[in-house]
């Protein structure tokens, strides 16, 4: 018997066609560079498109005398007491709207998914309806109710905080979508079943199990609601409530710099809120990345004692 | 249909008795549970088997309090719990879908039920840790569900269900989302744990192998009704209805003539099981392993195809009248049964079920 010396494994491997650099690799690299370059260009254009108005606002609102830069217009915000009141009012409206919307929407949506899934479409339709109704139509329809409230509910009925009632309706389409995305991300029905079987009643199952797992959707809905409330002008103006937006418009007629400074501050506030949500919302990290490990072998021999 | 439990191993265990008594459940026009009555002995593991939509999961959810029933009663340890809310029933449930709470680690998941029962943090962690040890996952205690494989998640779910020391353990197709190897491993693990803790268990599955391997008794359901409940061997060898005979295992429908407790099929006289059709022409439901093939020149049946299944071979044979028969033979006999081989086909005289036609 004759043996022929075989090549070392590594050498054999290096001889295989797979080890040879594939033809056309240079073209593929060029194409890859082109793709990443075009992606970067698109990103720059989009960011530029979004940032340009903000930069322009910043440039405009910080103009000082003789070409200098100044924060006077931001300081001037505090010289308009009505404006400060309006900002506070708008923030109150935003907070109340968020709470009202979440109280209305979250239990309803969870209940719909868990108990009456066939109603999901109906709830979705109702929530999306405000998108299809122009603001002026809403105002015309709802104005008599506000007149009645103003006449019969005293100071409460005439308060700008009553705008919360309309704003909750206006934010429904956006909040619904955000919460729905959160709910679709987890098996709410199974989680509540599991929770109930372990001894939780409905409220506890929702608060301790469902809400923490759809927190991302809830926070997104809250941010959208705040942004929408801080941007809503038509209805506040037509119903003659002095909210921040109405006052910005009014101040803008007299003092454009301060008006733009307030607008910019509101925008930055919404931006910061978004960044905070993106940073702290669950799901932003590694969750759901399929980081599961290989199956472990069977458990160690079972204890024969009764388990406590 | 009322069936009493077999007085087998369950007699020595520590679980509680469960009784479904004439349960009815309607979903619109669908009668999901149609007079379901089952008795489960303390410590017994009953596997409910049936095709999709037969009502087996509805029965399990009714016992767990997750679904209501429209009629009948559910008794656990002699107490009527039909209208007791799920949170008060003390049932441990493992679901088909992964049901661990994604915002909690393994040990927090397992300790959740204890937390709801007011168990202090240290004691809770100790008991949850013991449960994780029981399922072999003590090293995964601080992991979140997304950091574990499907099999590990289901084992944690099992630990979570057992941690509350449930009166009854309910397993709703807990293995169906897992691959075959893990499924087999976990199946054996579930059985060993169930025997160790002695909890009365209801296991729902559509997988015959799983049901037959796990159950002290197996209940076969069809259209909301219990067709038969019996120990696995009895269910396989002595089916009570045509549905059970055809649903459990492989079956040949062979033409025969029934009369006086026997059926003549392929020239053999085979005893008939109670409830069979006859007298007159019938179809005998014959298991592949009850079919014998003898290679013989000039025989008028011939082999169509052969499948090699490891220790066994499955041979498809065409009879002279064109009917097909499947026979199961030892792998060592497969070599002599190449396609085209002429064979004589007979049936061993093990009792069979016969249906009209």
């Amino acid at each position: 018997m004759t043996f022929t010396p075989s090549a070392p494994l590594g050498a054999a491997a290096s001889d295989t066609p797979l080890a040879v650099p594939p033809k056309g690799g240079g073209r593929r690299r060029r194409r890859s560079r082109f793709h990443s370059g075009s992606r970067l260009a698109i990103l720059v254009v989009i960011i530029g498109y979004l940032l340009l108005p903000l930069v322009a606002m910043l440039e405009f609102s910080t103009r000082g005398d003789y070409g200098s830069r100044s924060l006077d217009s931001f300081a001037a915000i505090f010289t308009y007491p009505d404006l400060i009141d309006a900002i506070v009012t708008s923030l109150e409206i935003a907070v109340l709207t968020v709470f009202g919307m979440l109280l209305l929407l979250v239990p309803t949506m969870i209940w719909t998914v868990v108990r009456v899934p066939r109603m999901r479409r109906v709830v979705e339709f109702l929530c999306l309806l405000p998108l299809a109704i122009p603001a002026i139509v809403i105002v015309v329809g709802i104005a008599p109710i506000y007149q009645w409230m103003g006449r019969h509910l005293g100071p409460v009925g005439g308060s700008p905080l009553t705008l919360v009632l309309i704003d909750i309706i206006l934010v429904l389409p956006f909040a619904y979508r955000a919460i729905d995305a959160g709910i679709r991300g987890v098996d709410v029905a199974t989680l509540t079943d599991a929770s109930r079987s372990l001894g939780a009643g409905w409220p506890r199952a929702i608060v301790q199990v469902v809400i923490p797992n759809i927190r991302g959707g809830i926070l997104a809905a809250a941010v959208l609601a705040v942004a929408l409330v801080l941007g809503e002008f038509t209805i506040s103006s037509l119903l003659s409530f002095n909210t921040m937006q109405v006052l910005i418009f009014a101040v803008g007629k007299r003092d454009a710099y301060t008006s733009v400074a307030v607008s910019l501050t509101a925008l930055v506030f919404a931006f910061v809120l978004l960044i905070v949500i993106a940073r702290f919302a669950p799901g932003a990290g590694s969750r759901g990345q399929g980081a599961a490990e290989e199956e472990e072998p069977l458990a160690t021999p079972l204890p024969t004692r009764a388990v406590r | 249909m009322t069936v009493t439990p077999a007085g087998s191993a369950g007699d020595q265990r520590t679980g509680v008795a469960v009784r479904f008594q004439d349960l009815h459940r309607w979903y619109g026009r669908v009668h999901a549970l149609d007079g379901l009555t089952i008795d489960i002995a303390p410590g017994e593991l009953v596997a409910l088997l049936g095709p999709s939509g037969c009502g087996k999961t509805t029965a399990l959810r009714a016992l767990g309090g997750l679904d209501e029933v429209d009629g009948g009663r559910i008794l656990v340890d002699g107490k009527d719990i039909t209208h007791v809310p799920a949170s008060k029933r003390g049932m441990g449930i493992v679901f088909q879908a992964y049901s661990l709470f994604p915002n909690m680690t393994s040990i927090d998941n397992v300790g959740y039920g204890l937390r709801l029962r007011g168990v202090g943090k240290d004691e809770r962690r100790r008991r949850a840790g013991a449960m994780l040890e029981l399922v072999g996952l003590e090293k995964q205690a601080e992991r979140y569900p997304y950091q574990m494989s499907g099999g590990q998640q289901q084992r944690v779910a099992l630990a979570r269900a057992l941690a509350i020391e449930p009166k009854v353990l309910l397993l709703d197709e807990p293995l169906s989302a897992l691959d075959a190897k893990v499924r087999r491993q976990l199946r054996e693990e579930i059985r060993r744990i169930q025997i160790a803790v002695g909890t009365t268990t209801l296991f729902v599955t559509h997988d015959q192998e799983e049901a037959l391997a796990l159950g002290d008794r197996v209940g076969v359901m069809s259209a909301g009704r219990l067709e038969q409940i019996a120990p696995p061997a009895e269910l396989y060898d002595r089916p009570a209805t045509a549905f059970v005979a055809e649903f459990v295992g492989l079956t040949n429908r062979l033409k025969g003539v029934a009369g006086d407790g026997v059926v003549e099929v392929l020239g053999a006289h085979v005893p008939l099981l109670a409830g069979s059709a006859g007298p007159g022409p019938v179809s005998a439901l014959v298991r592949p392993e009850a079919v014998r093939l003898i290679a013989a020149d000039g025989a008028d049946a011939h082999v169509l195809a052969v499948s090699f299944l490891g220790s066994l071979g499955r041979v498809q044979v065409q009879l002279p009248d064109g009917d097909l028969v499947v026979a199961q033979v030892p792998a060592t006999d497969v070599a002599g049964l190449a396609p085209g081989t002429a064979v004589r086909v007979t049936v061993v005289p093990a009792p069979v079920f016969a249906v009209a036609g």
Side-chain angles (χ1 to χ4, degrees):
Chain A
M1 191 182 280
T2 314
F3 286 100
T4 40
S6 57
L9 279 175
S14 68
D15 288 343
T16 58
L18 278 177
V20 176
K23 286 181 181 175
R27 198 183 309 150
R28 211 167 295 149
R29 271 198 300 275
R30 278 197 298 279
R31 200 181 300 154
S32 169
R33 268 204 298 272
F34 172 76
H35 281 315
S36 51
S38 55
R39 272 200 295 269
L40 188 67
I42 291 169
L43 197 66
V44 168
V45 168
I46 290 173
I47 289 176
Y49 181 78
L50 292 174
L51 284 184
L52 195 61
L54 294 180
V55 173
M57 289 170 82
L58 184 66
E59 192 280 330
F60 182 76
S61 58
T62 55
R63 279 183 196 171
D65 295 334
Y66 308 109
S68 63
R69 290 286 146 200
S70 155
L71 293 175
D72 287 352
S73 49
F74 287 88
I77 293 172
F78 300 99
T79 64
Y80 293 93
D82 289 353
L83 187 54
I84 298 296
D85 289 347
I87 291 171
V88 171
T89 301
S90 283
L91 289 175
E92 286 171 352
I93 293 173
V95 170
L96 290 174
T97 302
V98 166
F99 278 106
M101 173 272 293
L102 291 178
L103 279 175
L104 180 70
L105 211 48
V106 173
T108 306
M109 290 180 70
I110 292 171
W111 192 254
T112 307
V113 169
V114 175
R115 299 296 283 184
V116 277
R118 64 181 183 280
M119 291 298 289
R120 196 166 181 165
R121 285 290 171 88
V122 176
V123 173
E124 183 180 12
F125 174 76
L126 289 174
C127 287
L128 297 184
L129 208 53
L131 275 184
I133 304 174
I136 184 68
V137 175
I138 293 178
V139 171
V140 169
I142 215 158
I145 296 173
Y146 272 81
Q147 283 166 6
W148 182 91
M149 287 197 301
R151 276 201 302 273
H152 295 93
L153 299 182
V156 175
S159 163
L161 295 182
T162 53
L163 279 172
V164 168
L165 301 173
I166 296 186
D167 284 344
I168 286 175
I169 296 170
L170 292 181
V171 303
L172 277 182
F174 307 96
Y176 178 88
R177 281 281 172 239
I179 296 170
D180 190 49
I183 284 178
R184 283 179 193 274
V186 290
D187 187 346
V188 172
T190 303
L191 291 183
T192 48
D193 280 351
S195 178
R196 287 167 59 216
S197 74
L198 291 166
W202 276 108
R204 205 182 273 222
I206 289 175
V207 171
Q208 291 186 341
V209 173
V210 179
I211 287 179
N213 287 299
I214 62 169
R215 201 170 58 185
I218 290 174
L219 290 174
V223 170
L224 285 169
V226 170
L228 278 164
V229 170
L230 294 184
E232 196 289 308
F233 172 78
T234 316
I235 293 173
S236 312
S237 175
L238 290 173
L239 290 177
S240 304
F241 286 123
N242 283 339
T243 59
M244 181 181 74
Q245 307 80 272
V246 175
L247 261 289
I248 286 174
F249 180 70
V251 170
K253 289 181 178 172
R254 286 176 280 159
D255 180 355
Y257 295 102
T258 304
S259 169
V260 171
V262 177
S263 302
L264 183 61
T265 308
L267 274 169
V268 169
F269 173 72
F271 261 52
V272 169
L273 212 57
L274 270 171
I275 290 165
V276 168
I277 297 298
R279 173 69 186 80
F280 293 108
S286 58
R287 261 187 59 184
Q289 299 292 311
E293 291 195 347
E294 291 297 307
E295 292 293 342
E296 285 208 341
L298 275 176
T300 46
L302 289 170
T304 48
R305 61 183 160 73
V307 176
R308 286 210 54 219
Chain B
M1 188 179 198
T2 306
V3 188
T4 50
S8 58
D11 294 347
Q12 295 132 32
R13 296 181 198 158
T14 54
V16 296
V18 174
R19 179 173 170 78
F20 291 115
Q21 191 178 341
D22 194 28
L23 288 190
H24 288 268
R25 178 67 169 134
W26 291 88
Y27 291 113
R29 290 182 177 181
V30 178
H31 205 169
L33 294 179
D34 184 5
L36 181 72
T37 298
I38 305 176
D39 283 300
I40 305 176
E44 189 181 25
L45 192 157
V46 165
L48 275 186
L49 173 68
S52 297
C54 70
K56 55 190 188 298
T57 294
T58 306
L60 180 140
R61 290 179 63 83
L63 178 54
L66 302 174
D67 269 350
E68 290 162 6
V69 290
D70 298 318
R73 296 198 306 161
I74 300 172
L75 304 173
V76 172
D77 206 15
K79 296 188 187 80
D80 187 344
I81 61 155
T82 315
H83 302 293
V84 175
S87 56
K88 308 270 185 225
R89 290 198 185 192
M91 305 281 176
I93 307 181
V94 181
F95 297 86
Q96 179 178 4
Y98 299 137
S99 62
L100 295 186
F101 307 134
N103 58 317
M104 296 183 200
T105 59
S106 294
I107 199 156
D108 288 340
N109 261 284
V110 176
Y112 181 74
L114 301 173
R115 182 175 139 200
L116 294 175
R117 283 159 178 74
V119 177
K121 191 177 177 186
D122 292 341
E123 174 66 3
R124 196 164 72 219
R125 283 187 73 84
R126 190 188 67 75
R127 284 163 67 173
M131 281 299 143
L132 285 173
E133 195 183 332
L134 183 70
V135 298
L137 290 177
E138 64 275 17
K139 289 178 186 162
Q140 320 285 329
E142 299 304 330
R143 293 206 170 179
Y144 284 91
Y146 73 90
Q147 294 171 316
M148 293 187 287
S149 66
Q152 288 172 334
Q153 288 190 48
Q154 290 300 69
R155 281 150 73 179
V156 175
L158 179 63
R160 183 178 68 181
L162 289 170
I164 59 169
E165 297 176 36
K167 290 178 183 161
V168 185
L169 179 62
L170 307 178
L171 307 171
D172 184 8
E173 306 204 33
L175 311 176
S176 61
L178 309 175
D179 64 54
K181 188 180 167 196
V182 178
R183 199 158 62 217
R184 219 165 18 248
Q185 284 181 348
L186 195 49
R187 183 174 84 196
E188 289 162 10
E189 208 167 343
I190 285 173
R191 183 54 166 155
R192 288 197 293 165
I193 290 170
Q194 192 267 336
I195 289 171
V197 298
T199 307
T200 308
T201 302
L202 182 65
F203 184 95
V204 159
T205 180
H206 63 267
D207 185 319
Q208 297 179 26
E209 190 186 321
E210 227 164 73
L212 296 174
L214 271 177
D216 289 319
R217 288 187 301 150
V218 178
V220 179
M221 287 186 70
S222 168
R225 301 182 67 85
L226 185 69
E227 293 277 333
Q228 184 180 4
I229 183 163
E234 184 182 332
L235 194 81
Y236 190 81
D237 293 333
R238 310 180 75 82
T241 67
F243 178 84
V244 175
E246 292 197 279
F247 185 76
V248 179
L250 290 174
T251 308
N252 291 294
R253 282 177 84 104
L254 300 177
K255 288 178 197 138
V257 179
D260 203 19
V262 293
V263 59
E264 186 188 348
V265 55
L266 294 174
H269 287 82
V270 179
L272 277 175
L273 289 168
S276 292
V282 292
S283 288
L285 305 177
V286 181
R287 301 283 186 204
E289 59 270 26
V291 177
R292 291 281 177 272
L293 303 178
I294 301 154
D297 290 338
D300 43 12
H302 63 275
V303 175
L304 281 184
V306 182
S307 310
F308 180 67
L309 303 174
S311 60
L312 299 168
R314 201 160 281 155
V315 185
Q316 199 174 48
V317 175
Q318 187 164 39
L319 299 176
D321 60 4
D323 285 355
L324 298 178
V325 181
V326 174
Q328 193 165 288
V329 299
T332 48
D333 295 353
V334 168
L337 295 168
T341 306
V343 288
R344 197 146 46 82
V345 185
T346 59
V347 176
V348 298
V352 298
F353 201 89
V355 294

